[in-house]
Amino acid sequence: MDVLFLFRIREHQEDMLKSEFPEVNFLFDRKTDDPAVETSEVIVTYGTDVDENVLLRAKNLKWIMVASAGMEQMPLGRIAEMGIRVTNVRGIHKTPMAETMLAHILSYRKKLKDVYEQQERSEWNQKIRGTELLGSKAMILGPGAIGGEVGRLLQAFGVRTYGCNRSGRQADYMDEMVSFDGIAEALPEMDTIISVLPSTPETKGLLSRDHFGAMKESALFLNFGRGDLYEEKVLIEALESGRPAAAVLDVFETEPLPADSPLWNMENVTVSPHISSHSGKYVERALKIFMPNLRAYLDGQSDKMQNRVDPERGY
């Protein structure tokens, strides 16, 4: 059986897979124009290079392993029609992303940017006044694996966490829950608003001008989910009007962010080039999900595969 990797992994990781699965023919670091696309039963991809043309050639394809959490760039409708099994690596981003979000929140609340700028000027000024997280409130849009981890860290700082999902169903490390319908009502109480929502038909354009207008003048907004959660021009207008006070953005409507975007030059915006999930342990963690799934697949126990994705729902 051929298993095709459309990206490079380290040599010791290749050796580990070959040793663990001697019955499998692994094809590493290939491209979508490789003839092996036509024979491979499994394709492992980051999810940006498998389009309908690839699917037309992949006559033997039974399973796509996506080494990412987002699925929006894949032809999910066609995948569903073909009955191809899909899994992803949902959950492996939680540590680097949660740590990064916490770092940005602390940096903003403790005015570290001002401290660094003063140092560059060799200026001794003790008038910088940061604020505490203790006793504050944070809304986390999308309290899944990533949202739950940032909720856990925030709770350790004494923050009251409010999870927000479609149904309002209880989620780990959330003190209270609201549904998508209840966002506007809860926003005026929030000191920090964090989105880690995926891109789905239900989340596209979820936040409107009214939502941003309901935020505190002191609120910090972070988007580490997907850039189509709102119209970017609406967020820019909101930031210019002072609600929210500031934003940390790791995702954008268009990526890379165009050089002429106003976001680059706004004093109250931190532009992060979609790097919050980056970690030297990324592939290692992805393989820890892939290997048990491959064993289950080979043993004819596909029902035991973890992180299965419903192509029709997109997650």
Side-chain angles (χ1 to χ4, degrees), residues 68-73 76 88 90 93 97 140-147 164-166 180 194-207 223-230 251 274 309 313-315:
S68 174
M71 309 292 294
E72 64 274 7
Q73 297 189 54
L76 295 176
N88 68 4
R90 182 178 61 252
H93 309 88
M97 288 187 68
I140 300 170
L141 302 167
I146 300 167
C164 179
N165 53 27
R166 180 181 58 180
F180 285 168
I194 302 166
S195 176
V196 286
L197 286 169
S199 176
T200 71
E202 293 172 309
T203 63
K204 289 181 179 179
L206 180 65
L207 295 188
N223 189 4
F224 283 65
R226 287 295 181 264
D228 57 8
L229 181 68
Y230 43 77
V251 291
H274 206 149
V309 173
R313 299 180 70 177
Y315 58 93

Side-chain angles (χ1 to χ4, degrees), residues 99-130:
E99 288 181 357
T100 299
M101 285 184 269
L102 183 63
H104 282 294
I105 293 168
L106 286 169
S107 177
Y108 176 73
R109 294 300 178 193
K110 298 303 179 183
K111 305 294 183 184
L112 296 188
K113 181 180 178 181
D114 294 343
V115 173
Y116 300 151
E117 289 176 350
Q118 281 191 182
Q119 180 177 352
E120 290 180 359
R121 299 191 299 267
S122 302
E123 178 183 343
W124 183 275
N125 182 352
Q126 295 181 317
K127 294 182 179 180
I128 293 175
R129 292 290 182 269

Side-chain angles (χ1 to χ4, degrees), residues 4-233:
L4 179 67
F5 273 72
L6 295 179
F7 57 88
R8 178 176 296 177
I9 64 176
R10 294 175 180 174
E11 186 175 349
H12 77 272
Q13 293 166 336
E14 293 182 4
D15 293 340
M16 176 180 63
L17 287 170
K18 291 176 182 178
S19 175
E20 185 71 23
F21 302 97
E23 69 271 44
V24 172
N25 180 35
F26 289 102
L27 303 159
F28 298 109
D29 194 21
R30 304 298 180 93
K31 304 301 179 186
T32 54
D33 59 0
D34 195 295
V37 166
E38 300 171 15
T39 62
S40 295
E41 192 167 327
V42 181
I43 289 180
V44 185
T45 171
Y46 281 131
T48 59
D49 47 10
V50 174
D51 56 21
E52 293 210 17
N53 291 327
V54 172
L55 294 179
L56 286 173
R57 295 169 48 224
K59 304 297 185 182
N60 201 38
L61 184 60
K62 302 294 190 299
W63 169 28
I64 300 174
M65 155 68 176
V66 184
S68 174
M71 309 292 294
E72 64 274 7
Q73 297 189 54
M74 298 186 68
L76 295 176
R78 182 65 176 146
I79 289 171
E81 290 174 11
M82 296 174 67
I84 297 170
R85 188 176 291 105
V86 181
T87 62
N88 68 4
V89 292
R90 182 178 61 252
I92 73 166
H93 309 88
K94 70 177 185 178
T95 296
M97 288 187 68
E99 288 181 357
T100 299
M101 285 184 269
L102 183 63
H104 282 294
I105 293 168
L106 286 169
S107 177
Y108 176 73
R109 294 300 178 193
K110 298 303 179 183
K111 305 294 183 184
L112 296 188
K113 181 180 178 181
D114 294 343
V115 173
Y116 300 151
E117 289 176 350
Q118 281 191 182
Q119 180 177 352
E120 290 180 359
R121 299 191 299 267
S122 302
E123 178 183 343
W124 183 275
N125 182 352
Q126 295 181 317
K127 294 182 179 180
I128 293 175
R129 292 290 182 269
T131 57
E132 295 182 356
L133 292 184
L134 181 65
S136 66
K137 296 180 179 181
M139 175 182 283
I140 300 170
L141 302 167
I146 300 167
E149 180 65 5
V150 75
R152 183 182 72 83
L153 296 178
L154 288 172
Q155 285 183 342
F157 281 82
V159 177
R160 187 163 185 81
T161 56
Y162 292 71
C164 179
N165 53 27
R166 180 181 58 180
S167 64
R169 185 179 65 253
Q170 185 59 46
D172 292 340
Y173 301 108
M174 300 298 133
D175 294 305
E176 296 189 32
M177 293 295 302
V178 297
S179 67
F180 285 168
D181 292 338
I183 295 175
E185 184 178 347
L187 279 173
E189 295 184 40
M190 299 300 136
D191 301 288
T192 307
I193 302 96
I194 302 166
S195 176
V196 286
L197 286 169
S199 176
T200 71
E202 293 172 309
T203 63
K204 289 181 179 179
L206 180 65
L207 295 188
S208 67
R209 182 174 281 103
D210 290 341
H211 287 112
F212 288 114
M215 295 180 187
K216 287 183 176 182
E217 291 183 352
S218 58
L220 173 64
F221 174 71
L222 300 93
N223 189 4
F224 283 65
R226 287 295 181 264
D228 57 8
L229 181 68
Y230 43 77
E231 291 185 68
E232 217 154 74
K233 65 179 181 180

